[in-house]
Every structure is written in structure tokens, then in C-alpha cells.
Amino acid sequence: MAKQAAPAAKQAIPAGKSVAVAKVARTATEHPDYHFIKVVLTDGSSFMTRSTYGKEGDTLNLDIDPSTHPAWTGGEQKLLDRGGRLSRFNSRFAGISFTKK
């Protein structure tokens, strides 16, 4: 079976040798349009910010924001389990005690 030569791009570069890298000019299309938009929170308050969302002057209406999300408001977490993993775990490890004997 004949050996195939490795492609030129995958050959190792000898130590001490440099590789010329072609520089490509950036185009105007590489970066998204960054402009001002109005953000409206769930309580009706609003603020202006810069974003790539929509077009200049568009409005972004939020469904969830820091005034309503449980992560920021300290809301109660409820475990809903209808005979699933939590029930199986509790029944399997019900007799285990972590106190010293």
C-alpha cells in the first residue's frame, strides 16, 4: 500500500520558521447594528438602552423582569411530584438517619 503525503495545511512547521498569515480587511457587515431601543418592564416603567434588537427606536416589552421573577423576589419554590422521582427517592431512603449513633 502506498503512503499518501499529508496535506500542506496539516504538515508540521519546523522550529524557528515563521508562517506568513494573510490579513483580511474587516467589512462593515461583520458587526451588527448597535442602536438605542426602549425597554418596558412589566410594571409599566421603561428605560432606554443600546442593543442589537430590532431597529432604532423599537420597543422591547418584557414578560419577566427583576420585579416579577422569583429568582430576584425570593418567591416560594414548590416541588410538584406526582409519584415520580421525588416519591421514589423518599420511599427508598426513608429509614436513613444522618445523626451520629
Side-chain angles (χ1 to χ4, degrees), residues 58-99:
D58 278 354
T59 302
L60 175 63
N61 294 306
L62 298 180
D63 294 330
I64 298 174
D65 61 20
S67 65
T68 60
H69 195 278
W72 289 286
T73 60
E76 302 250 345
Q77 182 180 7
K78 296 181 177 109
L79 292 174
L80 296 176
D81 185 44
R82 297 182 178 126
R85 292 182 181 177
L86 186 60
S87 297
R88 284 184 297 199
F89 178 85
N90 288 336
S91 64
R92 185 174 180 183
F93 298 106
I96 293 181
S97 174
F98 293 107
T99 60

Side-chain angles (χ1 to χ4, degrees), residues 3 16 18 20 22 27-28 31 37-42 44 47 49 55-56 62 66-68 71 80 83 99 101:
K3 280 188 168 180
S18 64
T27 62
H31 301 286
I37 64 166
K38 179 180 178 182
V39 178
V40 180
L41 303 175
T42 56
F47 62 92
T49 188
K55 295 183 272 298
E56 178 79 31
L62 298 180
S67 65
T68 60
L80 296 176
T99 60
K101 292 182 182 179

Side-chain angles (χ1 to χ4, degrees), residues 7 12 16 20-23 26 28-29 36 48-49 56 74 78 80 86:
V21 178
K23 291 187 177 183
R26 292 186 179 254
T29 59
F36 281 98
M48 295 293 289
T49 188
E56 178 79 31
K78 296 181 177 109
L80 296 176
L86 186 60

